[in-house]
Amino acid sequence: QVQLVESGGGLVQAGGSLRLSCATSGYIFSLTRMAWYRQAPGKQREFVADITRDNSTNYSGSVKGRFTISRDNAKNTLYLEMDSLKPEDTAVYYCVLLKAFGNDFWGQGTQVIVSS
C-alpha cells in the first residue's frame, strides 16, 4: 500500500527554519505529483505547496518566498524547507500524494510549533 511518513517537525523560534521530510513507499514516486498541506488548531486544512514530476512548483501566498518544496526521487522523499517562520505557521503539516484518478493519499502529519 501507499505509505507517507512525515518527519522533521518540532518547536522553533519565530524567524527560525525547519525542514520537513516525507518518506514514501508503495508507489512510483518519480511519477507523482506531491503536495504539502497544513492544519492549524481550530482551522481547516490549507494548501501550502505542490510539486510535479518535472519539478514545477506552486505555493500559497502566505508561504511564497519563505518555503521551498522539493523532491529527491532517488530517496522517494518529499521535502519542505521552511525559513523565516512565523507563529501563524504553527500547524500540523501533511504530505499528500495527488492522484489523477481516485483518492489522494495523506500522511499522518508532523507538528510544527513556532513560538514568539
Side-chain angles (χ1 to χ4, degrees), residues 4-111:
L4 309 173
V5 181
E6 300 95 335
S7 63
L11 176 65
V12 65
Q13 294 287 327
S17 299
L18 208 59
R19 188 173 81 157
L20 307 183
S21 298
C22 173
T24 76
S25 62
Y27 209 82
I28 305 175
F29 180 75
S30 61
L31 301 181
T32 65
R33 180 185 177 198
M34 302 291 298
W36 288 98
Y37 279 72
R38 67 186 182 186
Q39 185 170 25
K43 301 179 69 176
Q44 298 286 352
R45 287 183 179 178
E46 67 170 329
F47 169 80
V48 176
D50 64 17
I51 185 168
T52 68
R53 58 186 288 184
D54 65 347
N55 286 326
S56 178
T57 59
N58 292 288
Y59 297 90
S60 69
S62 62
V63 308
K64 190 174 181 64
R66 299 188 299 119
F67 290 11
T68 303
I69 187 171
S70 63
R71 63 195 300 156
D72 186 337
N73 289 340
K75 296 182 178 180
N76 294 340
T77 301
L78 177 74
Y79 301 99
L80 184 68
E81 177 70 34
M82 304 184 294
D83 298 316
S84 301
L85 283 162
K86 306 174 181 179
E88 49 263 48
D89 294 318
T90 295
V92 176
Y93 283 72
Y94 296 91
C95 174
V96 188
L97 191 162
L98 302 171
K99 298 285 293 298
F101 304 99
N103 294 330
D104 299 331
F105 292 95
W106 291 69
Q108 296 301 304
T110 186
Q111 177 73 63

